[in-house]
Amino acid sequence: MTENLVIYDLKKVTPYLSTRKGEEKLGEHIGLLHQGDSLEAQLLDSDAKYVLLGIQEDIGVIGNHGKPGARNAWETALPYILNIQHNQHTKGNKILLLGHLDFSAELKKIDALKGENQIEEARNITALIDVEVTNIIHKIVASGKKPIVIGGGHNNAYGIIKGTSLAIGKSINSLNVDAHTDFRKREGRHSGNGFSYAFHEGFLENYFIFGLHENYTSKKIFKLLEKELRIKYNTFEELYVRKERGFDFEIKEAIDFVKADKFGLEIDLDAIEGMPSSAITSSGLSINTVREMIFKCKKSKNISYLHICEGAPNLDNEVEKMKVGKSIAYLVSDFIRK
């Protein structure tokens, strides 16, 4: 398989299921891997259209001086995803549950450090995580399937973009629903510069940022965005405060900017109002708005993956776990829905 991949068999999945007489849950029909055959062979053999992958880390977030917690999103979301109703709208057999990339040893190492030593080591390890993410995404996309990647920091956008680009043999586009550009300078890998690295290295072609927050974008970044013809954006304030732009028009503009070629859809949970995340916001998009965006994007034949990141629930807080887990499950269901 791959060094950090933890695969899920029926024994591992069953405890997550809340079965009820007369009902069928997504997890009862979802595809699973088995030990023995290679990952590539099993991917090719599966009839599933989508491949579900978790990433348990927030090392890239720490490397960006951010708040940890994104390591918890996958285990929080998985039970909610598996217990979606299997029906004519959401079908479990459309999904292959790959498992998750486990970076617990690396997290333990980072958690033991402080200050600049922690930041430097976090950036070094993030570059190693990039390799793992790139490799596994390459395998999924090369098999003709669409990854749904959940958890971790937005640093993983780089590996997902690179892996997809390498699998199809050309650069791809990206639509990023985010309060931030994640286009910071290339100073060592972290969650704030995944797109700038992918853009600079030729894996990312057109890049659209939807709902950028003017309060948290520097003058330098705005100047950079304005001079790059392959980057477009709108701001949350244009859409919802000053109402200078209409939502329906803007989502069409965003999709049109990326849909001519293969593209990925990035959902940073920081963009959703009140969502427990690495950079929680009191003013942001509603979960229903993001659901509508996913549904509209997935109608395009060129959409290549869904990446949901930066959710950071406190595992001791049941309300936070429910909000993050259930929200991610809704977003996943909208991506796979007919």
Side-chain angles (χ1 to χ4, degrees):
M1 294 294 179
T2 186
E3 187 178 343
N4 294 83
L5 180 64
V6 177
I7 67 169
Y8 287 34
D9 56 15
L10 192 61
K11 185 177 179 182
K12 190 170 181 65
V13 168
T14 300
Y16 290 116
L17 293 174
S18 299
T19 55
R20 182 178 291 184
K21 189 176 180 180
E23 296 182 0
E24 297 177 64
K25 300 296 179 68
L26 204 77
E28 295 179 84
H29 295 268
I30 204 165
L32 299 169
L33 294 180
H34 56 80
Q35 297 287 357
D37 293 340
S38 70
L39 175 57
E40 292 90 338
Q42 293 190 65
L43 285 168
L44 287 169
D45 190 51
S46 171
D47 293 328
K49 182 177 181 179
Y50 305 100
V51 176
L52 187 60
L53 173 68
I55 303 181
Q56 290 189 325
E57 65 84 36
D58 44 29
I59 295 170
V61 174
I62 292 168
N64 193 28
H65 302 273
K67 171 192 167 188
R71 67 186 73 176
N72 301 329
W74 167 249
E75 63 179 288
T76 298
L78 184 60
Y80 287 95
I81 295 169
L82 294 176
N83 285 292
I84 293 170
Q85 293 287 343
H86 171 85
N87 55 33
Q88 69 271 33
H89 302 290
T90 51
K91 296 185 177 181
N93 52 14
K94 294 170 71 173
I95 304 175
L96 174 66
L97 174 56
L98 198 60
H100 74 266
L101 290 174
D102 175 43
F103 297 105
S104 52
E106 291 84 351
L107 284 163
K108 188 175 181 180
K109 184 177 182 181
I110 288 297
D111 289 343
L113 299 173
K114 292 182 179 180
E116 285 304 313
N117 288 336
Q118 186 187 52
I119 300 299
E120 183 180 357
E121 186 61 18
R123 293 179 179 184
N124 292 335
I125 292 175
T126 299
L128 299 177
I129 292 172
D130 287 341
V131 176
E132 284 283 308
V133 174
T134 299
N135 288 342
I136 199 163
I137 295 299
H138 180 276
K139 289 181 172 73
I140 295 169
V141 176
S143 74
K145 295 173 174 42
K146 299 182 181 185
I148 301 173
V149 185
I150 295 169
H154 218 159
N155 45 289
N156 295 308
Y158 170 81
I160 300 170
I161 291 168
K162 183 177 179 180
T164 304
S165 173
L166 291 173
I168 67 172
K170 60 184 292 188
S171 58
I172 68 164
N173 300 331
S174 177
L175 199 173
N176 181 22
V177 181
D178 201 341
H180 316 95
T181 64
D182 291 344
F183 212 82
R184 291 180 180 273
K185 65 181 180 180
R186 302 186 307 277
E187 56 186 356
R189 286 287 295 115
H190 56 67
S191 65
N193 59 21
F195 295 95
S196 45
Y197 270 92
F199 192 84
H200 177 73
E201 294 176 6
F203 302 114
L204 175 61
E205 188 69 21
N206 288 353
Y207 178 38
F208 197 106
I209 309 112
F210 194 99
L212 185 63
H213 282 214
E214 295 172 11
N215 287 21
Y216 297 99
T217 305
S218 69
K219 183 191 295 186
K220 186 176 181 180
I221 290 289
F222 272 124
K223 284 184 176 180
L224 175 63
L225 298 183
E226 293 295 341
K227 74 177 185 180
E228 287 287 356
L229 296 178
R230 290 190 287 122
I231 301 176
K232 287 188 178 181
Y233 69 93
N234 56 44
T235 73
F236 180 84
E237 286 74 18
E238 287 174 328
L239 291 167
Y240 295 101
V241 179
R242 300 190 295 274
K243 296 185 183 292
E244 297 165 348
R245 304 187 181 196
F247 170 76
D248 289 337
F249 176 81
E250 280 301 303
I251 186 57
K252 183 179 184 303
E253 285 283 289
I255 296 172
D256 284 349
F257 189 64
V258 298
K259 73 176 186 180
D261 287 304
K262 298 292 186 183
F263 73 96
L265 178 58
E266 300 274 343
I267 306 294
D268 187 322
L269 294 183
D270 290 348
I272 299 176
E273 184 174 318
M275 185 65 64
S277 60
S278 301
I280 188 170
T281 184
S282 58
S283 176
L285 300 172
S286 73
I287 184 69
N288 290 338
T289 295
V290 177
R291 290 187 65 187
E292 182 180 351
M293 290 182 70
I294 289 176
F295 186 70
K296 286 181 174 179
C297 285
K298 64 95 56 175
K299 290 180 179 180
S300 170
K301 69 180 189 305
N302 278 330
I303 192 161
S304 297
Y305 70 78
L306 173 66
H307 179 207
I308 304 171
C309 61
E310 300 278 345
N314 180 345
L315 294 183
D316 295 323
N317 186 316
E318 291 301 321
V319 174
E320 286 195 9
K321 287 167 64 180
M322 180 278 294
K323 189 161 190 178
V324 172
K326 205 165 188 177
S327 296
I328 291 174
Y330 272 119
L331 300 181
V332 170
S333 68
D334 293 325
F335 192 66
I336 69 167
R337 203 182 307 278
K338 286 175 62 178

